[in-house]
Amino acid sequence: MTVTTSGAQTGQRHNHPGSGRRKAPVFTKGRQLETKALDEIRALLGEGERRRDLLIEYLHAIQDKYGSLSAAHLQALAEDMHLPMAEVFEVATFYAHFDVVLDGEQAPAPLTIRVCDSLTCEMKGAKALLAELPGKLGREVRVVPAPCMGRCANAPVAEVGHRHIGNATIESLAAAAESGDTHPVIPAYTDFDKYRADGGYGLLESCLKGDRTADDMVKTMQDSGLRGLGGAGFPSGLKWKIIREQPKPRVMAVNGDEGEPGTFKDRHYLETDPHRFIEGMLVAAWATEIERVYVYTRDEYPGVIKVLKDELAKVEKAGLSKGVTIEVRRGAGAYICGEESAMMESIEGKRGLPRHKPPYPTQVGLFGLPTLPHNVETLFWVRDIVEKGPDWFASEGRNGRKGLRSFSVSGRVKQPGVKLAPAGITIRELIEEFCGGMEDGHDFKAYLPGGASGGILPASLDDIPLDFDTLQPHGCFIGSAAVIVLSDRDNMKDVALNLMRFFEDESCGQCTPCRNGTEKAVQLMSQDSWDKPLLEELSTVMMDASICGLGQAAPNPILTAMKHFPEDL
């Protein structure tokens, strides 16, 4: 016979001595699900299956709606997705643009102003903005430093909500905050109708009709000599050939997360001629028999995200993307996701932690499938190369180099911006012929040929052809061709420290050499004088033992500064 007691009715167990049972608590352990929060999440995300790979998209939806991510909403999302709370929490706290608010913590102010503190913006006055701006605004506005926003030609730059302000001043930012207009600026660009009227998508249609063969397309790309323009420089035609040899299904992952300080070429092309990129992407998918494409774009580019979604809808409606599903994925503020395997982890809805290689993405990539990773600008050139012939692209170049390069130029020049110039051009030629020379009152002292990780070179080395494989003998590389020009008013110790602080902030933390090495380097570089032997030893460890390119390249500013500018240290 079972006897029910009042204790049993309340969920308690009456344990007897020697029974071996522990007394259960009178309440359920752990965070309790809030019905209201669950109802809000389900109303926001709508009906239908919850996809694990869309976790970051769901987090964006919550942040956009409520201004932050409360613990109650994170718990409700975990419940709705049938995921452990820890898994949702670790993803939400990994990305800088998510504001996680725990119990007892105060939610951020309704409006956030992010001020870029990367190198070019610091050179142009970002420190003063960060110091003075909070005192000019009320408590309803939060001011925080942020890494490069990809608008270095208009430094200093700040983001008011989702609206970017170039050449920012205290007055312009205060006025923007007061206006309440926090929507992204949508620039004028070549839309679908204009692109079609000018002959756009003719190449894609000829492919779909069978007027061209995939083998011919791959050969054309190989003959052109086009290399990946995201920084790695792997031959594009060879990449297409390799992926075609892999079993189906295959996918494509397009890297639009150009977080390297000084880089903004991809944003320029997507904001001016997005369909040239889209057509190149669809041609690549056709040639490699890929049916699903993921376009990963920076959260710092809200205008680009809107343009892509609007124009891709038009392409789909016109029947030009038939057989290919394209998803635009929004990053969340993590430089590491510019590394291709970390990007794939993020697309899968995870923390952006780089993967060990091998296997390589072309073998085992996104969702475990053979994956064709491509940079935005690489695909942008596909149409021109095919229509004008591979010799057109290969015939460009100087100093024995071949092809064209889109240089993102910022710093102490009169006319910064994206400069389409011959591969192999020298820095002196680039400054004088494409940038209007140095700013008045500034003498050319040094330059970064490849962004924060590309190292620093003195003006005396102004005759090196700027291209793949030409800078390595000098301890540098061109990467994504982000050129930052420095003058006699810039101290190289301060420059190198700014770059290392960026790497410290952006390290994903997965491996000890990078996580601890960047932090230790900042401490050493902040001293009045550098302990050069120790910094050299630390750099060797980071370069030899870090998992991915972030930690491997982070010491470049240290080593090149010590080599070329000992007088500043």
Side-chain angles (χ1 to χ4, degrees):
M1 180 176 65
T2 302
V3 178
T4 302
T5 68
S6 59
Q9 290 173 334
T10 59
Q12 298 182 46
R13 286 178 180 169
H14 292 270
N15 298 329
H16 299 282
S19 66
R21 295 180 177 178
R22 290 163 44 184
K23 186 175 181 180
V26 296
F27 55 87
T28 305
K29 290 183 177 180
R31 165 171 294 281
Q32 301 305 294
L33 179 66
E34 297 182 19
T35 304
K36 179 184 176 183
L38 182 59
D39 291 341
E40 289 172 340
I41 292 300
R42 288 176 173 170
L44 177 64
L45 302 183
E47 300 295 331
E49 178 188 4
R50 297 287 183 258
R51 288 169 49 186
R52 174 62 183 80
D53 62 298
L54 291 178
L55 174 57
I56 294 172
E57 296 294 315
Y58 299 151
L59 292 171
H60 273 304
I62 300 169
Q63 173 106 5
D64 290 344
K65 172 71 173 178
Y66 295 100
S68 61
L69 301 174
S70 69
H73 280 147
L74 291 178
Q75 178 71 41
L77 180 61
E79 173 72 18
D80 199 40
M81 295 186 69
H82 304 293
L83 291 175
M85 172 62 168
E87 191 169 338
V88 174
F89 184 80
E90 72 175 10
V91 173
T93 53
F94 180 85
Y95 295 93
H97 287 189
F98 291 139
D99 294 310
V100 177
V101 180
L102 301 180
D103 293 338
E105 295 181 344
Q106 186 175 358
L111 177 63
T112 295
I113 297 180
R114 289 184 168 88
V115 179
C116 176
D117 65 353
S118 288
L119 180 57
T120 304
C121 285
E122 182 175 293
M123 292 162 57
K124 298 289 185 173
K127 281 186 176 180
L129 288 178
L130 284 165
E132 299 173 20
L133 189 59
K136 304 293 184 180
L137 305 171
R139 294 183 178 179
E140 298 299 301
V141 181
R142 176 180 61 161
V143 178
V144 296
C148 185
M149 298 179 182
R151 290 168 170 80
C152 314
N154 303 112
V157 177
E159 185 182 20
V160 182
H162 289 299
R163 189 177 192 86
H164 288 88
I165 307 293
N167 305 117
T169 63
I170 296 290
E171 293 73 22
S172 65
L173 294 177
E178 181 67 24
S179 72
D181 186 358
T182 60
H183 296 92
V185 177
I186 307 299
Y189 63 91
T190 302
D191 64 8
F192 179 77
D193 292 336
K194 179 66 166 62
Y195 186 75
R196 283 287 273 170
D198 293 340
Y201 291 106
L203 170 61
L204 176 62
E205 288 179 317
S206 69
C207 293
L208 296 175
K209 292 177 183 177
D211 295 338
R212 301 176 184 270
T213 68
D215 288 338
D216 288 342
M217 195 69 65
V218 172
K219 185 178 186 305
T220 297
M221 295 300 294
Q222 289 182 295
D223 291 345
S224 72
L226 177 68
R227 297 173 64 171
L229 298 173
F234 192 86
S236 301
L238 178 58
K239 190 182 291 186
W240 289 19
K241 182 176 183 294
I242 291 172
I243 198 69
R244 280 172 52 83
E245 296 171 350
Q246 305 305 313
K248 296 180 182 179
R250 312 160 187 151
V251 296
M252 185 192 304
V254 180
N255 195 337
D257 193 68
E258 54 174 1
E260 182 76 18
T263 310
F264 47 94
K265 62 183 179 60
D266 289 349
R267 178 186 60 80
H268 168 77
Y269 287 125
L270 291 174
E271 287 185 346
T272 55
D273 198 0
H275 287 281
R276 195 170 298 270
F277 153 72
I278 294 172
E279 183 170 13
M281 178 176 65
L282 289 172
V283 168
W286 169 82
T288 55
E289 299 180 67
I290 283 173
E291 298 179 352
R292 185 170 290 275
V293 178
Y294 297 84
V295 183
Y296 190 88
T297 309
R298 298 189 74 188
D299 193 34
E300 291 88 345
Y301 293 173
V304 166
I305 294 171
K306 186 178 189 312
V307 167
L308 279 176
K309 289 184 176 180
D310 289 349
E311 297 304 313
L312 282 169
K314 298 175 185 178
V315 171
E316 183 178 2
K317 184 177 180 181
L320 292 167
S321 62
K322 58 184 179 183
V324 180
T325 300
I326 303 171
E327 293 191 33
V328 177
R329 293 298 180 86
R330 177 180 167 189
Y335 166 72
I336 191 63
C337 291
E339 196 275 339
E340 62 183 13
S341 66
M343 172 189 65
M344 293 176 193
E345 289 286 298
S346 190
I347 291 174
E348 292 179 4
K350 305 172 185 175
R351 294 176 295 166
L353 301 180
R355 300 173 180 176
H356 290 276
K357 300 174 184 177
Y360 295 98
T362 49
Q363 301 165 312
V364 181
L366 193 55
F367 305 114
L369 300 173
T371 303
L372 175 64
H374 255 318
N375 171 255
V376 165
E377 192 201 352
T378 311
L379 295 170
F380 182 87
W381 291 114
V382 169
R383 176 189 167 188
D384 285 313
I385 288 173
V386 175
E387 290 184 345
K388 297 177 181 179
D391 292 340
W392 162 77
F393 189 82
S395 66
E396 299 286 345
R398 292 187 187 178
N399 300 309
R401 313 304 297 180
K402 294 182 178 181
L404 291 165
R405 293 305 305 262
S406 298
F407 294 92
S408 304
V409 186
S410 64
R412 308 297 190 181
V413 294
K414 289 182 179 178
Q415 300 169 12
V418 175
K419 310 296 179 179
L420 184 61
I425 193 172
T426 66
I427 185 62
R428 186 73 69 173
E429 293 169 336
L430 185 64
I431 293 172
E432 298 300 329
E433 296 178 31
F434 290 84
C435 301
M438 295 291 292
E439 286 183 341
D440 293 337
H442 290 262
D443 292 328
F444 180 37
K445 178 180 180 178
Y447 64 106
L448 280 67
S453 56
I456 312 169
L457 291 174
S460 59
L461 295 177
D462 62 354
D463 58 349
I464 304 172
L466 297 178
D467 197 15
F468 295 113
D469 310 321
T470 60
L471 295 159
Q472 279 84 339
H474 304 279
C476 297
F477 57 83
I478 193 168
S480 58
V483 176
I484 302 177
V485 180
L486 308 171
S487 78
D488 56 330
R489 301 190 187 184
D490 299 309
N491 181 281
M492 295 305 111
K493 181 180 179 181
D494 295 337
V495 168
L497 181 56
N498 176 284
L499 301 176
M500 187 54 65
R501 282 177 173 153
F502 169 79
F503 291 125
E504 179 191 20
D505 289 341
E506 295 298 328
S507 173
C508 74
Q510 181 179 194
C511 67
T512 302
C514 178
R515 180 184 66 249
N516 291 6
T518 53
E519 180 183 9
K520 183 64 174 179
V522 167
Q523 294 173 0
L524 294 171
M525 296 166 72
S526 299
Q527 303 301 313
D528 292 337
S529 61
W530 286 9
D531 185 338
K532 295 180 181 180
L534 184 55
L535 281 169
E536 289 176 351
E537 183 179 359
L538 179 63
S539 297
T540 299
V541 172
M542 292 173 65
M543 290 186 294
D544 290 348
S546 295
I547 289 175
C548 79
L550 191 155
Q552 294 163 10
N556 286 342
I558 302 175
L559 299 175
T560 51
M562 290 193 297
K563 178 179 180 180
H564 299 298
F565 307 98
E567 68 280 1
D568 282 3
L569 310 181

